[in-house]
Amino acid sequence: MEKLNPQQVAILHNHLVHSGSTDALLDELLDHLACEVEYYMWIGLPFESALNAVLEQANVKAVRHLQATYQTELAMTDEQLQRASLDDIVFEFRNKAYGAYDLRQAYRISLRNAFIMAIGLCMMLMAIMDLMSHKTWSYLSVSGLVWLAGLCAVTFAGGSWYLQHIRQQQLSIR
């Protein structure tokens, strides 16, 4: 697929500025229009024809409609802003459907699960190494208790990851 050069992107940018686009909406629209122009160029149109086809769709009326829709659907009220998390504030004027918002929401749980899993696996490895050195095994020994604690940690982290995965699938279905 052909990429736009900086001069071509500047032409799109100038069109959006003259159409009355605001700073919050400008980057989103510029990305969208650039993708549309690149698509038309990919199917064989020269840049000028592709630009004209896209600009017919992105007239001043369409940009103002998108801007109004964008502000009402994605902007937060003062009350929502007071209750918002840092992720909500960062993604206020962004499309949350692309996946980055969901990844940031799940980051803490994923990090916790990874940490618990790593600790649990280290505990199990230490217990196995102790078993190999002493050649005896008992669940009531220190090594056996370390093994059981590590096994519980790995089971907890694996189960938590599985439940998180199921919840994400259920949310994506809705």
Side-chain angles (χ1 to χ4, degrees), residues 125-138 143:
L125 180 65
M126 289 182 348
I128 288 174
M129 291 174 68
D130 188 61
L131 165 72
M132 295 173 108
S133 67
H134 289 101
K135 308 242 190 281
T136 60
W137 182 260
S138 171
S143 299

Side-chain angles (χ1 to χ4, degrees), residues 8-20:
Q8 293 168 332
V9 173
I11 292 170
L12 285 172
H13 183 272
N14 289 336
H15 172 73
L16 289 173
V17 169
H18 294 308
S19 297

Side-chain angles (χ1 to χ4, degrees), residues 12 19 28 33-34 62 64 83 86 96 100 105 121 135 161:
L12 285 172
S19 297
E28 293 288 328
L33 292 180
R64 287 196 179 133
R83 292 182 289 127
L86 182 59
K96 295 178 183 177
Q105 291 293 320
L121 289 172
K135 308 242 190 281
W161 173 84

